[in-house]
Amino acid sequence: MNRVLIPLTMAQPPTIPADAHIAGLAGASMGTTWSVKLVLPAGIFAEQIQSGVQQRLDQVVSQMSTWLDSSDLSRFNRAQSGSWHVLPEEFFKVLDYACYVAQQSNGAYDPTVGPLVNLWGFGPDGPGSACGDMPTAEDISAALERKGWTRLRLDRLQRRAFQPGGIYVDLSSIAKGYGVDHVAEYLQQQGVQSYLVEVGGELRGYGSKPDGDPWWVALEQPLPSAAEQAGDTAVPAFPPTIVALHELSIATSGDYRRFFDIDGKRYAHTIDPRTGYPVPHALASVAVLHASCMIADALATALTVLGVEEGMQYARQHDIAALFVSRSEAGFEEKMSPACKAMLE
């Protein structure tokens, strides 16, 4: 039997005509896929919305991708030491919030983690361990010397960022979530009153379907490892959880999305900026629910780095709706933050 989460602040969704139909759109961006389900307004064609959604996501890539040499972010990362740079509005907004989460989490989240991401083979600048090579302690120490969000300086009045020299910003842990919000904003500007946006597994919904139901979405469950699949305890001991996505977003961070194994040990793509190593604890996934997918995306990464105990304390302190799933000898175990439990129907 499913568990149901309902947003506590959910307003009455707009009324959708019973004879309206749902259109489905899809494409590719940010090294992954995107999809949109929506109720098309009168006079608006699916092809028009498809083009607009792709343009919005292409804009995020052109500003914030480390994989694109010509992006605004790549140019900032290559910039001369001691230089100030006026950033596009969207880029600045994302970087500003990333630095806020870094400050709030005492560096468990750090947008300047890029050198470590590359070193471990999860970025564009080298094969690293994702191809089977373990970084040396010396390599990790050198990469740690290059990071540090406190070295970034932001000028909010002029929308500028300061490159102190050698700083390599990586916004992969927040840009997808922002892309979802950016698309949702576009849809609302077009008069769309009901939609479900998904980019690489991060989602945001608004309104209801023609039958009156909200956009129901199941929270991602972590995948068991090969060893767990071979045993008898790999199946989660908790029921599936579905969420009514009206004025709500979901972002999930998990060790099963991108990882590699060396000598039977799993190394996930989430790097702890404080140590320079992939997070070592048994946390398999963290799902965060928030009105903003950008915020949910960044918080899911921060809570993954913090782990269950510190992460739960942080979630309580900041009233974050989060679901933690950990691996144990008995299989998967979960813990809900108080804000998440309060949404249970």
Side-chain angles (χ1 to χ4, degrees):
M1 185 175 180
N2 293 333
R3 292 175 302 183
V4 177
L5 297 177
I6 303 292
L8 297 179
T9 58
M10 185 172 69
Q12 181 68 29
T15 301
I16 303 297
D19 59 351
H21 73 279
I22 297 175
L25 310 174
S29 185
M30 305 185 196
T32 185
T33 59
W34 64 263
S35 66
V36 172
K37 295 179 181 178
L38 74 161
V39 177
L40 285 170
I44 301 293
F45 298 98
E47 294 81 5
Q48 174 185 340
I49 299 295
Q50 171 90 23
S51 176
V53 169
Q54 191 66 59
Q55 288 175 12
R56 284 290 179 121
L57 293 174
D58 289 347
Q59 182 185 47
V60 175
V61 171
S62 70
Q63 291 186 18
M64 306 177 214
S65 174
T66 56
W67 297 81
L68 186 66
D69 287 341
S70 61
S71 73
D72 295 285
L73 177 56
S74 292
R75 288 198 294 270
F76 177 80
N77 286 339
R78 296 192 301 266
Q80 182 180 354
S81 173
S83 57
W84 282 95
H85 302 270
V86 177
L87 304 181
E89 180 179 355
E90 297 81 9
F91 180 5
F92 188 88
K93 176 181 179 178
V94 172
L95 181 59
D96 191 21
Y97 186 74
C99 289
Y100 171 78
V101 177
Q103 185 269 330
Q104 290 289 300
S105 64
N106 293 319
Y109 181 91
D110 190 335
T112 69
V113 73
L116 290 160
V117 173
N118 287 327
L119 180 64
W120 284 93
F122 296 112
D125 288 353
S129 297
C131 292
D133 299 323
M134 236 356 224
T136 65
E138 291 77 13
D139 291 337
I140 293 170
S141 179
L144 283 168
E145 288 294 321
R146 289 188 57 197
K147 73 140 192 88
W149 69 273
T150 56
R151 296 173 59 205
L152 282 172
R153 289 158 58 191
L154 301 182
D155 177 356
R156 294 183 177 89
L157 290 178
Q158 300 187 57
R159 215 172 63 223
R160 299 187 304 166
F162 181 74
Q163 170 59 271
I167 282 292
Y168 185 104
V169 173
D170 186 330
L171 298 175
S172 301
S173 61
I174 188 173
K176 270 197 306 180
Y178 177 76
V180 171
D181 290 338
H182 206 38
V183 169
E185 179 185 48
Y186 163 75
L187 295 176
Q188 289 173 327
Q189 290 172 351
Q190 301 306 303
V192 177
Q193 295 185 310
S194 180
Y195 59 79
L196 178 65
V197 178
E198 179 267 338
V199 179
E202 321 299 13
L203 302 111
R204 174 168 165 167
Y206 181 82
S208 62
K209 294 180 286 186
D211 63 4
D213 276 354
W215 298 101
W216 291 110
V217 173
L219 289 186
E220 246 181 66
Q221 293 202 2
L223 300 175
S225 66
E228 288 167 332
Q229 289 176 349
D232 297 326
T233 58
V235 177
F238 41 87
T241 303
I242 60 172
V243 187
L245 277 196
H246 172 48
E247 298 183 330
L248 192 65
S249 300
I250 301 173
T252 306
S253 177
D255 68 358
Y256 54 91
R257 283 187 163 183
R258 294 177 63 201
F259 63 92
F260 60 89
D261 291 308
I262 295 180
D263 297 330
K265 183 175 181 180
R266 174 175 291 196
Y267 294 87
H269 75 283
T270 302
I271 309 297
D272 188 335
R274 302 166 299 182
T275 66
Y277 286 83
V279 289
H281 43 66
L283 191 57
S285 72
V286 179
V288 173
L289 298 97
H290 194 279
S292 164
C293 200
M294 176 190 75
I295 292 175
D297 202 6
L299 290 176
T301 299
L303 296 179
T304 297
V305 173
L306 288 169
V308 176
E309 292 186 9
E310 284 187 82
M312 184 63 76
Q313 182 179 357
Y314 186 92
R316 288 195 185 100
Q317 181 182 357
H318 297 275
D319 197 29
I320 298 167
L323 174 65
F324 299 80
V325 180
S326 302
R327 301 177 189 273
S328 72
E329 293 183 359
F332 290 112
E333 299 177 351
E334 70 167 16
K335 290 185 178 179
M336 281 188 180
S337 69
C340 190
K341 284 182 181 179
M343 295 171 63
L344 280 172
E345 176 77 341

